[in-house]
Amino acid sequence: ATIEVTNELFMRFDPTHDSRHESRHGYQFGRVGYPMTDPKAPVLRVSWHDAMAFCEWLSERIGRRFTLPTEEQWEWACRAGTATDFWFGNLGADYTSRASLGDASLSEFAACTARGNYTQAVVLDNANRYDDWVPKDDSHDDGSFLTAQAASYGANPWGLHDMHGNVWEWTLSERHQGRKIVRGGSWYDRPKRCTSSYWLDYPPYQKVFNVGFRVVCEATP
């Protein structure tokens, strides 16, 4: 798929799903956090089992076989014929028009409640390390604080968006005791964790705050 599965699409399969919100940090009262439910943004907090169930539903609806990519398929598609850390270059390359990664905008987590208004937050100037503690790449700002709407950034040479960043993506592959591999990094991860080769793994039942998925459609004869 050229984009990750969105909230809008996943809720056609499961209307009860909620990608919920990202909790705010610091001295904040009266507001629970930042919503992650934009219909056009990638779905979050779906387990590997949820992603596979969606693939089965989509296969029945479309009449062709949809599934998750293996991590080898995922990396092949991500690289799109390149051999660098990212499809657009190596670590240190300017990613601001190509990916939503853990950049300078994560400083927005260092906020306090606005005086006289408990529903608003004010970003702290010169925040100390106890307020502004999220690891980030301070040298870039890609214009997106949390997840971005699908295809907000440029596609790789094969027309695929958000292969780096935005949300981690489940794959069919596993490494340790049935834990499933995720690839690609997210809006919360520094560039070194969002390269074409970097991976993490989670139990297939876990619903992770920055993990979603994209589907592949098996070729027909």
Side-chain angles (χ1 to χ4, degrees), residues 134-205:
V134 180
K136 64 182 73 66
D137 171 24
D138 288 314
S139 63
H140 291 86
D141 187 343
D142 55 44
S144 179
F145 173 32
L146 304 175
T147 51
Q149 291 189 349
S152 293
Y153 297 88
N156 75 6
W158 292 354
L160 308 179
H161 296 269
D162 301 318
M163 295 299 290
H164 301 292
N166 219 11
V167 301
W168 289 95
E169 300 176 11
W170 288 112
T171 72
L172 286 176
S173 303
E174 61 184 58
R175 290 282 169 88
H176 305 120
Q177 299 180 339
R179 294 167 64 93
K180 299 299 184 179
I181 298 295
V182 296
R183 288 297 203 108
S186 78
W187 59 271
Y188 197 74
D189 294 277
R190 287 170 289 176
K192 68 179 182 180
R193 291 165 58 95
C194 301
T195 63
S196 299
S197 60
Y198 200 92
W199 61 274
L200 296 175
D201 60 0
Y202 293 101
Y205 56 79

Side-chain angles (χ1 to χ4, degrees), residues 5 10 13 46-60 65-70 170-173 180 204 212-216 218:
V5 173
F10 191 82
F13 159 67
V46 287
S47 70
W48 183 88
H49 293 305
D50 293 334
M52 290 300 293
F54 173 89
C55 289
E56 291 179 9
W57 169 84
L58 189 62
S59 298
E60 292 175 358
R65 175 63 179 166
F66 289 87
T67 187
L68 298 176
T70 65
W170 288 112
T171 72
L172 286 176
S173 303
K180 299 299 184 179
F213 68 103
R214 81 174 65 216
V215 300
V216 296
E218 293 184 354

Side-chain angles (χ1 to χ4, degrees), residues 121-143:
V122 177
V123 177
L124 298 175
D125 292 327
N126 302 315
N128 61 47
R129 63 188 179 91
Y130 299 104
D131 290 318
D132 190 11
W133 54 265
V134 180
K136 64 182 73 66
D137 171 24
D138 288 314
S139 63
H140 291 86
D141 187 343
D142 55 44

Side-chain angles (χ1 to χ4, degrees), residues 23-81:
S23 298
R24 293 167 57 201
H25 304 169
Y27 311 105
Q28 302 161 44
F29 307 96
R31 179 175 171 179
V32 293
Y34 306 95
M36 307 294 282
T37 53
D38 184 332
K40 303 297 183 183
V43 68
L44 293 167
R45 294 181 170 89
V46 287
S47 70
W48 183 88
H49 293 305
D50 293 334
M52 290 300 293
F54 173 89
C55 289
E56 291 179 9
W57 169 84
L58 189 62
S59 298
E60 292 175 358
R61 292 290 299 271
I62 303 298
R64 295 185 64 183
R65 175 63 179 166
F66 289 87
T67 187
L68 298 176
T70 65
E71 65 168 329
E72 293 83 5
Q73 289 172 328
W74 187 95
E75 184 169 333
W76 178 79
C78 176
R79 289 187 179 280

